[in-house]
Amino acid sequence: MSTSASTLAFVESPVQLLNVLEWAYARAAGPGRPLDGVPSQRARRAGRAARKEPGPRPPGALAPVRIVVLPPTDPMSRGQLRRMAALARDEGCEVRWQEARGSRLDPLKALAALAGDVRAARTVVVGDPFSRYVQLLLTLVRAEELVVVDDGTATMEFVAQTARGERLVRWHRVGGGGLPGRLRELAYAPVSAAARRRFVPDRAAGAATDAAPQPGPGRARRVEVFTSMPVAPHGGMTLRPNEFAWTRARFGPPRLTKGTDLVGTSLVETGVVDPDRYLDAVRSLTLEHGATRYFAHRRESPEKLRALSRATGLEIVRPDLPLELIARRGPVGRTILSFPSTVVHTLPYALTGTGVTVAVCDVDPAWLTGRASPRARSFLAGVTDTARDVHRLPAQVAPTA
């Protein structure tokens, strides 16, 4: 097996692919000690005044990794994934595009095509531990090391659920599907349980700190979380902070505009926030802060974006790469506004030292729909409460006529 094939990564979104590149860049830098939690970004910035940040390593300075892209069906995600795959190839990574969702037979075909590589890999990197397809692949894993890279704020829920020994369920998911749905859940339960056990490290591996596992019979399995989210490892799990070092070395710093940019969210599309309340909130933020551009989430519907543009006059921008790269490349506003989402944790890292202010707007509980999960309110509040180096904004009310 090639060196890159000994480390196998599975990604299903552009952000996951970006974070695999960040992990490979950090892994190539050498060993690092396990942490009890993600360090404060404010402390990092203060430290930079005393020492110069190391210069960027040349392109290609990534740990060898073979990346398998399991693309979703929506065009926006597929387009961003293709562009991220091109960037990964430019960095020397081996990338394989594997369709797994087009037809009923595609998942089985993909599983058969990947089974040999999955069994042979010594390190397996996954971006979405909640994905049923990834969980199915995990039943084949014999690797000595399992790494979870960020898939947004879902990492917070993943670490919390594994700490409590709960089954893995996305925070915004609610039961549905009637009897057929319950039967599917029952049939899938053994696969989910087996995958969950994979994320429990062997105790003998908890103290390991070397940069990469060495092959050998009977070696204990290690589990690492590579994240920008405010989480604490548990049960022998190790944590490595994702400081977006590859992004900062590869791009920028950006040119800053005088305006304010607003970051969109898919909270409406996931059934969490009422569309009319969301439109009112965006209109209020636009008026109050003079926002001129709206960076759409890749899952936002064209109909919703047209309504936002008509109601607010905002320029709708559909990024062709994850926002961390778009912002780092620039141009970008001196202030970036966001609702509770991944970017309130990642952008302060990606934009360290640029002078950009990141602000987060609370979600009023009154905005939540009747279909929102019981966890929605507390989870969104937690995303905002734990964000560091961001300016906190109150929930917006509808503007008066």
Side-chain angles (χ1 to χ4, degrees), residues 299-350:
R299 292 198 183 109
E300 288 188 89
S301 69
E303 296 78 16
K304 171 187 168 186
L305 295 175
R306 283 194 291 269
L308 283 173
S309 181
R310 286 194 300 267
T312 64
L314 286 167
E315 176 191 355
I316 305 298
V317 179
R318 303 215 71 163
D320 59 354
L321 291 168
L323 188 60
E324 292 80 5
L325 298 184
I326 295 294
R328 183 70 192 182
R329 293 194 311 180
V332 67
R334 293 183 181 275
T335 300
I336 299 177
L337 307 178
S338 176
F339 295 97
S341 71
T342 304
V343 298
V344 304
H345 293 276
T346 60
L347 284 181
Y349 279 117

Side-chain angles (χ1 to χ4, degrees), residues 94-371:
E94 183 181 355
V95 181
R96 173 175 177 173
W97 189 275
Q98 181 69 57
E99 297 289 351
R101 291 180 173 83
S103 68
R104 290 184 178 182
L105 294 179
D106 275 353
L108 295 177
K109 291 179 181 178
L111 189 65
L114 297 171
D117 288 343
V118 173
R119 291 192 182 99
R122 294 168 182 165
T123 297
V124 171
V125 184
V126 300
D128 183 6
F130 294 95
S131 164
R132 289 193 170 186
Y133 196 79
V134 167
Q135 290 180 5
L136 189 60
L137 287 169
L138 286 175
T139 63
L140 305 176
V141 167
R142 300 173 181 172
E144 299 138 357
E145 183 179 36
L146 183 59
V147 179
V148 179
V149 301
D150 270 339
D151 183 34
T153 51
T155 306
M156 298 165 64
E157 196 74 344
F158 163 73
V159 173
Q161 289 178 7
T162 52
R164 297 189 295 262
E166 298 174 353
R167 66 190 185 99
L168 298 177
V169 181
R170 299 184 193 276
W171 67 268
H172 55 76
R173 185 178 175 188
V174 294
L179 180 59
R182 289 194 293 273
L183 290 175
R184 284 194 299 269
E185 290 287 341
L186 187 62
Y188 186 76
V191 175
S192 179
R196 188 170 66 249
R197 288 192 295 270
R198 293 287 184 184
F199 293 115
V200 178
D202 294 339
R203 291 289 179 177
T209 59
D210 49 305
Q214 299 300 316
R219 184 179 176 86
R221 184 177 68 254
R222 298 186 295 164
V223 177
E224 175 183 312
V225 177
F226 180 74
T227 182
S228 301
M229 300 295 114
V231 299
H234 59 82
M237 179 184 291
T238 60
L239 184 146
R240 311 282 173 175
N242 178 4
E243 299 181 333
F244 284 86
W246 176 79
T247 295
R248 289 184 285 113
R250 188 71 161 76
F251 302 101
R255 177 176 65 84
L256 304 187
T257 69
K258 295 180 180 180
T260 295
D261 293 329
L262 181 59
V263 179
T265 175
S266 62
L267 291 173
V268 171
E269 283 70 20
T270 53
V272 175
V273 168
D274 177 81
D276 292 333
R277 295 298 186 102
Y278 182 76
L279 178 59
D280 288 341
V282 171
R283 184 188 295 116
S284 295
L285 286 171
T286 302
L287 292 173
E288 182 176 347
H289 297 277
T292 56
R293 294 191 300 176
Y294 180 96
F295 286 99
H297 189 280
R298 60 190 172 83
R299 292 198 183 109
E300 288 188 89
S301 69
E303 296 78 16
K304 171 187 168 186
L305 295 175
R306 283 194 291 269
L308 283 173
S309 181
R310 286 194 300 267
T312 64
L314 286 167
E315 176 191 355
I316 305 298
V317 179
R318 303 215 71 163
D320 59 354
L321 291 168
L323 188 60
E324 292 80 5
L325 298 184
I326 295 294
R328 183 70 192 182
R329 293 194 311 180
V332 67
R334 293 183 181 275
T335 300
I336 299 177
L337 307 178
S338 176
F339 295 97
S341 71
T342 304
V343 298
V344 304
H345 293 276
T346 60
L347 284 181
Y349 279 117
L351 296 174
T352 293
T354 62
V356 173
T357 297
V358 179
V360 57
C361 175
D362 287 329
V363 169
D364 192 309
W367 300 356
L368 303 183
T369 68
R371 305 186 307 279

